[in-house]
Amino acid sequence: MDKKNALRAGALAAGTTLMMLLMSSPASALTRDDGDDPGPGLSVIETLGLFVAAPIVLYLVIHGLVMIGDKSHKKKDPTSSNITTKADATSEVKA
């Protein structure tokens, strides 16, 4: 019974994906609409800067701001700095 359900789920997923691909019709992107006035295209450098470098820079800025805010929180917390995990116990085995 499990194989039959898995096969049915796979067929449904494949059928749904196929129908979505057929309905999207990318060929209609070749015809322009009335009033459509596209601007000039982006160069490779502009594309990389906009879609690669800018998100990385934004991530680093946000990460830096969070780290600055987090360090000020650690100074105010007195309980986390006085916990030690070093074991002082020793054992002697006599045979």
Side-chain angles (χ1 to χ4, degrees):
M1 283 299 198
D2 290 330
K3 290 181 183 179
K4 199 180 278 189
N5 286 338
L7 184 61
R8 186 177 297 152
L12 181 66
T16 304
T17 304
L18 182 63
M19 288 304 293
M20 288 176 68
L21 286 173
L22 290 174
M23 296 295 283
S24 65
S25 184
S28 65
L30 296 175
T31 59
R32 296 283 180 205
D33 293 333
D34 289 337
D36 192 13
D37 188 21
L42 296 175
S43 69
V44 174
I45 300 298
E46 291 172 334
T47 303
L48 289 176
L50 189 62
F51 294 107
V52 176
I56 291 173
V57 169
L58 281 172
Y59 171 78
L60 291 175
V61 167
I62 293 170
H63 182 74
L65 291 173
V66 168
M67 290 301 291
I68 289 171
D70 192 35
K71 288 184 188 255
S72 64
H73 174 69
K74 286 183 181 178
K75 291 179 183 176
K76 294 178 185 176
D77 190 12
T79 60
S80 64
S81 61
N82 60 5
I83 298 173
T84 58
T85 58
K86 192 173 184 180
D88 293 331
T90 58
S91 64
E92 294 180 17
V93 178
K94 295 181 180 178

PDB file of all heavy atoms in Angstrom, residues 15-46:
ATOM      1  N   GLY A  15       2.627  15.640 -12.588  1.00  0.00           N
ATOM      2  CA  GLY A  15       1.555  16.217 -13.393  1.00  0.00           C
ATOM      3  C   GLY A  15       1.335  17.689 -13.096  1.00  0.00           C
ATOM      4  O   GLY A  15       1.137  18.504 -14.003  1.00  0.00           O
ATOM      5  N   THR A  16       1.379  18.051 -11.821  1.00  0.00           N
ATOM      6  CA  THR A  16       1.215  19.460 -11.441  1.00  0.00           C
ATOM      7  C   THR A  16       2.346  20.305 -11.989  1.00  0.00           C
ATOM      8  O   THR A  16       2.120  21.398 -12.521  1.00  0.00           O
ATOM      9  CB  THR A  16       1.150  19.578  -9.908  1.00  0.00           C
ATOM     10  OG1 THR A  16       0.100  18.744  -9.420  1.00  0.00           O
ATOM     11  CG2 THR A  16       0.910  21.000  -9.478  1.00  0.00           C
ATOM     12  N   THR A  17       3.571  19.805 -11.885  1.00  0.00           N
ATOM     13  CA  THR A  17       4.724  20.541 -12.405  1.00  0.00           C
ATOM     14  C   THR A  17       4.634  20.709 -13.915  1.00  0.00           C
ATOM     15  O   THR A  17       4.896  21.799 -14.453  1.00  0.00           O
ATOM     16  CB  THR A  17       6.023  19.805 -12.038  1.00  0.00           C
ATOM     17  OG1 THR A  17       6.066  19.635 -10.628  1.00  0.00           O
ATOM     18  CG2 THR A  17       7.238  20.578 -12.495  1.00  0.00           C
ATOM     19  N   LEU A  18       4.238  19.664 -14.607  1.00  0.00           N
ATOM     20  CA  LEU A  18       4.113  19.738 -16.054  1.00  0.00           C
ATOM     21  C   LEU A  18       3.042  20.736 -16.468  1.00  0.00           C
ATOM     22  O   LEU A  18       3.252  21.539 -17.388  1.00  0.00           O
ATOM     23  CB  LEU A  18       3.793  18.349 -16.621  1.00  0.00           C
ATOM     24  CG  LEU A  18       3.670  18.252 -18.137  1.00  0.00           C
ATOM     25  CD1 LEU A  18       5.004  18.598 -18.791  1.00  0.00           C
ATOM     26  CD2 LEU A  18       3.211  16.875 -18.544  1.00  0.00           C
ATOM     27  N   MET A  19       1.914  20.725 -15.780  1.00  0.00           N
ATOM     28  CA  MET A  19       0.846  21.673 -16.115  1.00  0.00           C
ATOM     29  C   MET A  19       1.276  23.114 -15.848  1.00  0.00           C
ATOM     30  O   MET A  19       0.964  24.019 -16.621  1.00  0.00           O
ATOM     31  CB  MET A  19      -0.425  21.345 -15.316  1.00  0.00           C
ATOM     32  CG  MET A  19      -1.120  20.082 -15.780  1.00  0.00           C
ATOM     33  SD  MET A  19      -1.550  20.111 -17.528  1.00  0.00           S
ATOM     34  CE  MET A  19      -2.782  21.372 -17.544  1.00  0.00           C
ATOM     35  N   MET A  20       2.017  23.336 -14.768  1.00  0.00           N
ATOM     36  CA  MET A  20       2.488  24.691 -14.474  1.00  0.00           C
ATOM     37  C   MET A  20       3.467  25.162 -15.544  1.00  0.00           C
ATOM     38  O   MET A  20       3.447  26.328 -15.950  1.00  0.00           O
ATOM     39  CB  MET A  20       3.140  24.736 -13.095  1.00  0.00           C
ATOM     40  CG  MET A  20       2.150  24.626 -11.953  1.00  0.00           C
ATOM     41  SD  MET A  20       2.938  24.562 -10.353  1.00  0.00           S
ATOM     42  CE  MET A  20       3.609  26.199 -10.238  1.00  0.00           C
ATOM     43  N   LEU A  21       4.333  24.262 -16.025  1.00  0.00           N
ATOM     44  CA  LEU A  21       5.275  24.643 -17.073  1.00  0.00           C
ATOM     45  C   LEU A  21       4.561  24.947 -18.382  1.00  0.00           C
ATOM     46  O   LEU A  21       4.942  25.865 -19.115  1.00  0.00           O
ATOM     47  CB  LEU A  21       6.306  23.531 -17.281  1.00  0.00           C
ATOM     48  CG  LEU A  21       7.366  23.388 -16.193  1.00  0.00           C
ATOM     49  CD1 LEU A  21       8.201  22.144 -16.436  1.00  0.00           C
ATOM     50  CD2 LEU A  21       8.253  24.612 -16.158  1.00  0.00           C
ATOM     51  N   LEU A  22       3.547  24.173 -18.694  1.00  0.00           N
ATOM     52  CA  LEU A  22       2.818  24.408 -19.934  1.00  0.00           C
ATOM     53  C   LEU A  22       1.981  25.681 -19.880  1.00  0.00           C
ATOM     54  O   LEU A  22       1.819  26.365 -20.888  1.00  0.00           O
ATOM     55  CB  LEU A  22       1.925  23.204 -20.244  1.00  0.00           C
ATOM     56  CG  LEU A  22       2.664  21.927 -20.651  1.00  0.00           C
ATOM     57  CD1 LEU A  22       1.675  20.774 -20.791  1.00  0.00           C
ATOM     58  CD2 LEU A  22       3.430  22.141 -21.939  1.00  0.00           C
ATOM     59  N   MET A  23       1.454  26.003 -18.711  1.00  0.00           N
ATOM     60  CA  MET A  23       0.600  27.189 -18.592  1.00  0.00           C
ATOM     61  C   MET A  23       1.401  28.484 -18.536  1.00  0.00           C
ATOM     62  O   MET A  23       0.865  29.552 -18.816  1.00  0.00           O
ATOM     63  CB  MET A  23      -0.274  27.081 -17.338  1.00  0.00           C
ATOM     64  CG  MET A  23      -1.253  25.928 -17.369  1.00  0.00           C
ATOM     65  SD  MET A  23      -2.482  26.095 -18.644  1.00  0.00           S
ATOM     66  CE  MET A  23      -3.537  27.289 -17.884  1.00  0.00           C
ATOM     67  N   SER A  24       2.679  28.424 -18.170  1.00  0.00           N
ATOM     68  CA  SER A  24       3.452  29.649 -18.005  1.00  0.00           C
ATOM     69  C   SER A  24       3.769  30.312 -19.339  1.00  0.00           C
ATOM     70  O   SER A  24       3.833  31.531 -19.425  1.00  0.00           O
ATOM     71  CB  SER A  24       4.737  29.364 -17.234  1.00  0.00           C
ATOM     72  OG  SER A  24       5.569  28.517 -18.002  1.00  0.00           O
ATOM     73  N   SER A  25       3.971  29.541 -20.379  1.00  0.00           N
ATOM     74  CA  SER A  25       4.177  30.037 -21.736  1.00  0.00           C
ATOM     75  C   SER A  25       5.224  31.153 -21.817  1.00  0.00           C
ATOM     76  O   SER A  25       4.889  32.326 -21.950  1.00  0.00           O
ATOM     77  CB  SER A  25       2.855  30.518 -22.321  1.00  0.00           C
ATOM     78  OG  SER A  25       3.031  30.914 -23.653  1.00  0.00           O
ATOM     79  N   PRO A  26       6.499  30.836 -21.734  1.00  0.00           N
ATOM     80  CA  PRO A  26       7.521  31.878 -21.806  1.00  0.00           C
ATOM     81  C   PRO A  26       7.621  32.535 -23.172  1.00  0.00           C
ATOM     82  O   PRO A  26       8.213  33.598 -23.296  1.00  0.00           O
ATOM     83  CB  PRO A  26       8.809  31.126 -21.476  1.00  0.00           C
ATOM     84  CG  PRO A  26       8.529  29.715 -21.834  1.00  0.00           C
ATOM     85  CD  PRO A  26       7.069  29.508 -21.583  1.00  0.00           C
ATOM     86  N   ALA A  27       7.026  31.953 -24.200  1.00  0.00           N
ATOM     87  CA  ALA A  27       7.090  32.561 -25.524  1.00  0.00           C
ATOM     88  C   ALA A  27       6.326  33.874 -25.578  1.00  0.00           C
ATOM     89  O   ALA A  27       6.597  34.722 -26.419  1.00  0.00           O
ATOM     90  CB  ALA A  27       6.529  31.594 -26.567  1.00  0.00           C
ATOM     91  N   SER A  28       5.378  34.074 -24.667  1.00  0.00           N
ATOM     92  CA  SER A  28       4.632  35.327 -24.679  1.00  0.00           C
ATOM     93  C   SER A  28       5.477  36.499 -24.207  1.00  0.00           C
ATOM     94  O   SER A  28       5.084  37.649 -24.353  1.00  0.00           O
ATOM     95  CB  SER A  28       3.373  35.211 -23.815  1.00  0.00           C
ATOM     96  OG  SER A  28       3.738  35.034 -22.459  1.00  0.00           O
ATOM     97  N   ALA A  29       6.644  36.244 -23.647  1.00  0.00           N
ATOM     98  CA  ALA A  29       7.517  37.324 -23.212  1.00  0.00           C
ATOM     99  C   ALA A  29       8.193  38.004 -24.396  1.00  0.00           C
ATOM    100  O   ALA A  29       8.754  39.084 -24.249  1.00  0.00           O
ATOM    101  CB  ALA A  29       8.573  36.778 -22.256  1.00  0.00           C
ATOM    102  N   LEU A  30       8.131  37.397 -25.581  1.00  0.00           N
ATOM    103  CA  LEU A  30       8.769  37.990 -26.750  1.00  0.00           C
ATOM    104  C   LEU A  30       7.941  39.119 -27.345  1.00  0.00           C
ATOM    105  O   LEU A  30       8.478  39.991 -28.014  1.00  0.00           O
ATOM    106  CB  LEU A  30       9.018  36.916 -27.812  1.00  0.00           C
ATOM    107  CG  LEU A  30      10.004  35.818 -27.410  1.00  0.00           C
ATOM    108  CD1 LEU A  30      10.064  34.753 -28.502  1.00  0.00           C
ATOM    109  CD2 LEU A  30      11.366  36.398 -27.140  1.00  0.00           C
ATOM    110  N   THR A  31       6.643  39.102 -27.132  1.00  0.00           N
ATOM    111  CA  THR A  31       5.792  40.158 -27.676  1.00  0.00           C
ATOM    112  C   THR A  31       5.648  41.264 -26.648  1.00  0.00           C
ATOM    113  O   THR A  31       5.399  41.014 -25.472  1.00  0.00           O
ATOM    114  CB  THR A  31       4.396  39.605 -28.033  1.00  0.00           C
ATOM    115  OG1 THR A  31       3.801  39.065 -26.871  1.00  0.00           O
ATOM    116  CG2 THR A  31       4.506  38.528 -29.094  1.00  0.00           C
ATOM    117  N   ARG A  32       5.800  42.499 -27.095  1.00  0.00           N
ATOM    118  CA  ARG A  32       5.717  43.648 -26.204  1.00  0.00           C
ATOM    119  C   ARG A  32       4.271  44.089 -26.034  1.00  0.00           C
ATOM    120  O   ARG A  32       3.471  44.015 -26.968  1.00  0.00           O
ATOM    121  CB  ARG A  32       6.532  44.809 -26.765  1.00  0.00           C
ATOM    122  CG  ARG A  32       8.002  44.522 -26.839  1.00  0.00           C
ATOM    123  CD  ARG A  32       8.608  44.636 -25.477  1.00  0.00           C
ATOM    124  NE  ARG A  32      10.034  44.356 -25.524  1.00  0.00           N
ATOM    125  CZ  ARG A  32      10.699  43.919 -24.500  1.00  0.00           C
ATOM    126  NH1 ARG A  32      10.106  43.695 -23.366  1.00  0.00           N
ATOM    127  NH2 ARG A  32      11.975  43.699 -24.597  1.00  0.00           N
ATOM    128  N   ASP A  33       3.945  44.559 -24.832  1.00  0.00           N
ATOM    129  CA  ASP A  33       2.621  45.111 -24.578  1.00  0.00           C
ATOM    130  C   ASP A  33       2.570  46.554 -25.041  1.00  0.00           C
ATOM    131  O   ASP A  33       3.595  47.201 -25.277  1.00  0.00           O
ATOM    132  CB  ASP A  33       2.303  45.049 -23.078  1.00  0.00           C
ATOM    133  CG  ASP A  33       2.146  43.626 -22.583  1.00  0.00           C
ATOM    134  OD1 ASP A  33       1.768  42.764 -23.397  1.00  0.00           O
ATOM    135  OD2 ASP A  33       2.402  43.388 -21.392  1.00  0.00           O
ATOM    136  N   ASP A  34       1.357  47.090 -25.155  1.00  0.00           N
ATOM    137  CA  ASP A  34       1.199  48.504 -25.513  1.00  0.00           C
ATOM    138  C   ASP A  34       1.757  49.380 -24.397  1.00  0.00           C
ATOM    139  O   ASP A  34       1.478  49.172 -23.223  1.00  0.00           O
ATOM    140  CB  ASP A  34      -0.277  48.840 -25.730  1.00  0.00           C
ATOM    141  CG  ASP A  34      -0.816  48.205 -27.001  1.00  0.00           C
ATOM    142  OD1 ASP A  34       0.002  47.901 -27.885  1.00  0.00           O
ATOM    143  OD2 ASP A  34      -2.045  48.013 -27.096  1.00  0.00           O
ATOM    144  N   GLY A  35       2.544  50.348 -24.750  1.00  0.00           N
ATOM    145  CA  GLY A  35       3.123  51.256 -23.766  1.00  0.00           C
ATOM    146  C   GLY A  35       4.351  50.708 -23.081  1.00  0.00           C
ATOM    147  O   GLY A  35       4.900  51.339 -22.179  1.00  0.00           O
ATOM    148  N   ASP A  36       4.804  49.536 -23.465  1.00  0.00           N
ATOM    149  CA  ASP A  36       5.982  48.935 -22.854  1.00  0.00           C
ATOM    150  C   ASP A  36       7.222  49.637 -23.380  1.00  0.00           C
ATOM    151  O   ASP A  36       7.435  49.738 -24.585  1.00  0.00           O
ATOM    152  CB  ASP A  36       6.018  47.447 -23.180  1.00  0.00           C
ATOM    153  CG  ASP A  36       7.041  46.703 -22.362  1.00  0.00           C
ATOM    154  OD1 ASP A  36       7.539  47.281 -21.384  1.00  0.00           O
ATOM    155  OD2 ASP A  36       7.329  45.545 -22.692  1.00  0.00           O
ATOM    156  N   ASP A  37       8.046  50.152 -22.489  1.00  0.00           N
ATOM    157  CA  ASP A  37       9.252  50.858 -22.887  1.00  0.00           C
ATOM    158  C   ASP A  37      10.409  50.404 -21.994  1.00  0.00           C
ATOM    159  O   ASP A  37      10.722  51.040 -20.990  1.00  0.00           O
ATOM    160  CB  ASP A  37       9.050  52.367 -22.757  1.00  0.00           C
ATOM    161  CG  ASP A  37      10.211  53.147 -23.336  1.00  0.00           C
ATOM    162  OD1 ASP A  37      10.949  52.589 -24.171  1.00  0.00           O
ATOM    163  OD2 ASP A  37      10.383  54.319 -22.943  1.00  0.00           O
ATOM    164  N   PRO A  38      11.033  49.265 -22.318  1.00  0.00           N
ATOM    165  CA  PRO A  38      12.105  48.769 -21.458  1.00  0.00           C
ATOM    166  C   PRO A  38      13.341  49.655 -21.545  1.00  0.00           C
ATOM    167  O   PRO A  38      13.641  50.246 -22.585  1.00  0.00           O
ATOM    168  CB  PRO A  38      12.402  47.380 -22.017  1.00  0.00           C
ATOM    169  CG  PRO A  38      11.968  47.452 -23.432  1.00  0.00           C
ATOM    170  CD  PRO A  38      10.807  48.414 -23.470  1.00  0.00           C
ATOM    171  N   GLY A  39      14.041  49.747 -20.428  1.00  0.00           N
ATOM    172  CA  GLY A  39      15.254  50.537 -20.385  1.00  0.00           C
ATOM    173  C   GLY A  39      16.429  49.749 -20.911  1.00  0.00           C
ATOM    174  O   GLY A  39      16.293  48.614 -21.365  1.00  0.00           O
ATOM    175  N   PRO A  40      17.605  50.335 -20.864  1.00  0.00           N
ATOM    176  CA  PRO A  40      18.799  49.629 -21.319  1.00  0.00           C
ATOM    177  C   PRO A  40      19.129  48.478 -20.375  1.00  0.00           C
ATOM    178  O   PRO A  40      18.832  48.524 -19.179  1.00  0.00           O
ATOM    179  CB  PRO A  40      19.892  50.700 -21.291  1.00  0.00           C
ATOM    180  CG  PRO A  40      19.414  51.697 -20.297  1.00  0.00           C
ATOM    181  CD  PRO A  40      17.917  51.686 -20.385  1.00  0.00           C
ATOM    182  N   GLY A  41      19.750  47.458 -20.914  1.00  0.00           N
ATOM    183  CA  GLY A  41      20.108  46.292 -20.102  1.00  0.00           C
ATOM    184  C   GLY A  41      21.271  46.578 -19.182  1.00  0.00           C
ATOM    185  O   GLY A  41      21.997  47.564 -19.336  1.00  0.00           O
ATOM    186  N   LEU A  42      21.469  45.705 -18.210  1.00  0.00           N
ATOM    187  CA  LEU A  42      22.577  45.838 -17.277  1.00  0.00           C
ATOM    188  C   LEU A  42      23.809  45.122 -17.818  1.00  0.00           C
ATOM    189  O   LEU A  42      23.704  44.087 -18.463  1.00  0.00           O
ATOM    190  CB  LEU A  42      22.210  45.220 -15.923  1.00  0.00           C
ATOM    191  CG  LEU A  42      21.066  45.850 -15.147  1.00  0.00           C
ATOM    192  CD1 LEU A  42      20.772  45.017 -13.907  1.00  0.00           C
ATOM    193  CD2 LEU A  42      21.401  47.264 -14.753  1.00  0.00           C
ATOM    194  N   SER A  43      24.977  45.682 -17.512  1.00  0.00           N
ATOM    195  CA  SER A  43      26.217  44.996 -17.877  1.00  0.00           C
ATOM    196  C   SER A  43      26.468  43.878 -16.866  1.00  0.00           C
ATOM    197  O   SER A  43      25.785  43.755 -15.850  1.00  0.00           O
ATOM    198  CB  SER A  43      27.388  45.983 -17.886  1.00  0.00           C
ATOM    199  OG  SER A  43      27.672  46.390 -16.562  1.00  0.00           O
ATOM    200  N   VAL A  44      27.486  43.071 -17.134  1.00  0.00           N
ATOM    201  CA  VAL A  44      27.812  41.963 -16.235  1.00  0.00           C
ATOM    202  C   VAL A  44      28.249  42.493 -14.871  1.00  0.00           C
ATOM    203  O   VAL A  44      27.848  41.973 -13.822  1.00  0.00           O
ATOM    204  CB  VAL A  44      28.921  41.074 -16.853  1.00  0.00           C
ATOM    205  CG1 VAL A  44      29.371  40.013 -15.875  1.00  0.00           C
ATOM    206  CG2 VAL A  44      28.431  40.452 -18.142  1.00  0.00           C
ATOM    207  N   ILE A  45      29.038  43.549 -14.864  1.00  0.00           N
ATOM    208  CA  ILE A  45      29.521  44.126 -13.606  1.00  0.00           C
ATOM    209  C   ILE A  45      28.352  44.692 -12.805  1.00  0.00           C
ATOM    210  O   ILE A  45      28.263  44.506 -11.583  1.00  0.00           O
ATOM    211  CB  ILE A  45      30.576  45.220 -13.888  1.00  0.00           C
ATOM    212  CG1 ILE A  45      31.782  44.641 -14.639  1.00  0.00           C
ATOM    213  CG2 ILE A  45      31.014  45.904 -12.602  1.00  0.00           C
ATOM    214  CD1 ILE A  45      32.524  43.568 -13.874  1.00  0.00           C
ATOM    215  N   GLU A  46      27.434  45.394 -13.476  1.00  0.00           N
ATOM    216  CA  GLU A  46      26.269  45.948 -12.777  1.00  0.00           C
ATOM    217  C   GLU A  46      25.387  44.831 -12.220  1.00  0.00           C
ATOM    218  O   GLU A  46      24.877  44.932 -11.098  1.00  0.00           O
ATOM    219  CB  GLU A  46      25.456  46.826 -13.728  1.00  0.00           C
ATOM    220  CG  GLU A  46      26.141  48.112 -14.115  1.00  0.00           C
ATOM    221  CD  GLU A  46      25.399  48.858 -15.203  1.00  0.00           C
ATOM    222  OE1 GLU A  46      24.679  48.226 -15.992  1.00  0.00           O
ATOM    223  OE2 GLU A  46      25.541  50.096 -15.257  1.00  0.00           O
TER     224      GLU A  46
END
